[in-house]
Amino acid sequence: MARDRGIVAMTSPQLPAVVEPAQLTAALRRGGVLDAGAVREVKVLHQRDTLVSQIVRLGLRYVGESAGAPQSLILKTPNSAFAESLANGGRREVDFYTQLAPKMPPGLVPRCFDGHFDEDGPTWLLLLEDLTDSHEIATKWPLPPSREQAMAIVTTLARWHAAWWDHPGLGDTVGTWASAEDRAQHMETFAGHYDRFADLLGDRLGEERRTLYRRLIEHSARLSQRYHSRRHISIAHGDAHIWNFMLPRPGVADTVRIFDFDQWRINVPTSDLAYMMAMQWYPDRRQALERPLLNRYHETLVANGVSGYTRGALDQDYRLSVLWQITRPVWQWSINIPPLIWWNNLERVMMAVEDLGCEELLG
């Protein structure tokens, strides 16, 4: 499609105006990566759908001086099937990239050149640094990572948590605190989902597991006191499985990057570790890596300025976070995540709860 401002090679789906050459030129100049030159042409190199979003890789061609300007970008927009039901996740991710990411140490997340959330849609978009050529996902889902890959991922996760650890802006300029009433309402909603979930599963959800869920609901206010202490708290990713991390390709001198921030929130940081290991890994792999990774995580926190948080406190928080993770498969079921995901998550996290003696935390 020819335009005065350049050429945009469009394919289905129709690309938003933000990727027109003139607007891209302005965004890249604001980002400090394009000086005298200008974007001349934009074309779709690849597109794919994830569970909740659509990812389009864009190739760029320039006119004039463009040394150092990106040759490609990532356009992220909502998956139309979930655009309305999961719109709040899009809002959170746009907020993260446009408000939080600029305040973080470099090299933790992809750079963002533009981001917008439209309340009327609701729709949203992000224009991100393309790391396709320099980075890769550790494994193909659902294969677990190697020890070396896992160490690199957890090191970066710890650096991310350390950047926001007990940050004075938490709950003010960075995220919001959930009140005791908010948490109680959240658990009341969960209890309703759980009842329907248990009815659906019937005898596939054994009595011991039913008892565990009932006791967690009953003691949820006491267990939430750790969160309400507002001490040793950070920004948690909320979906920190290993496939949301990009590792440098062999021979590339760069850092691991974290992406997909539609579920970030203020939380006890070990919630991310529990989700990554207890929820995603079967016992053999988890038992082999769990202790070394917790050790690396704690060492990295200390190296990045976190003080007063002991290794024993980390273990205690981790066990509590693993216990809380039994709620995740129920929430996933409630929003129609496929059973292939939530059923396996349920089995894995229940085995972790048993291995780690998490039921003891219920008193």
Side-chain angles (χ1 to χ4, degrees), residues 137-139 143-145 153 240-247 276 281:
I137 304 300
T139 70
L143 293 177
I153 286 170
H241 54 68
I242 65 128
W243 304 280
N244 274 339
F245 294 77
M246 298 190 75
L247 284 73
M276 179 184 294
W281 299 347

Side-chain angles (χ1 to χ4, degrees), residues 137-204:
I137 304 300
T139 70
K140 186 174 182 179
W141 182 84
L143 293 177
S146 69
R147 182 188 181 95
E148 181 181 2
Q149 289 170 332
M151 285 290 182
I153 286 170
V154 165
T155 299
T156 291
L157 184 64
R159 290 180 59 220
W160 143 276
H161 286 159
W164 297 106
W165 200 274
D166 288 343
H167 192 283
L170 292 180
D172 182 13
T173 58
V174 179
T176 56
W177 290 105
S179 67
E181 293 75 18
D182 293 335
R183 300 273 287 198
Q185 179 60 53
H186 185 73
M187 285 307 296
E188 183 177 341
T189 301
F190 171 79
H193 289 321
Y194 166 72
D195 287 342
R196 292 185 291 276
F197 179 79
D199 287 346
L200 170 74
L201 287 184
D203 61 9
R204 291 166 291 190

Side-chain angles (χ1 to χ4, degrees), residues 74-85:
I74 296 295
L75 173 68
K76 185 173 184 179
T77 56
N79 183 324
S80 58
F82 291 93
E84 189 164 347
S85 61

Side-chain angles (χ1 to χ4, degrees), residues 166 169-172 174-184 186-187 219-236 263-271 309 313 316-318 320-321 324:
D166 288 343
L170 292 180
D172 182 13
V174 179
T176 56
W177 290 105
S179 67
E181 293 75 18
D182 293 335
R183 300 273 287 198
H186 185 73
M187 285 307 296
H219 293 281
S220 60
R222 176 175 60 81
L223 296 176
S224 293
Q225 289 173 7
R226 169 66 184 91
Y227 170 87
H228 293 301
S229 73
R230 299 192 179 186
R231 175 73 173 143
H232 296 309
I233 298 288
S234 185
I235 294 296
Q263 297 187 48
W264 73 270
R265 67 199 66 196
I266 300 173
N267 206 351
V268 179
T270 49
S271 60
Y309 187 63
Q316 186 175 356
D317 280 348
Y318 179 70
L320 179 58
S321 293
W324 276 117

Side-chain angles (χ1 to χ4, degrees), residues 280-326:
Q280 306 290 337
W281 299 347
Y282 286 98
D284 183 69
R285 194 65 183 155
R286 176 176 50 77
Q287 291 165 4
L289 294 179
E290 198 168 45
R291 305 310 302 171
L293 289 175
L294 290 173
N295 289 339
R296 171 63 65 85
Y297 178 82
H298 189 260
E299 292 164 1
T300 306
L301 290 182
V302 173
N304 283 271
V306 173
S307 61
Y309 187 63
T310 67
R311 183 65 181 77
L314 172 60
D315 274 342
Q316 186 175 356
D317 280 348
Y318 179 70
R319 291 175 70 220
L320 179 58
S321 293
V322 171
L323 180 61
W324 276 117
Q325 287 298 322
I326 71 171

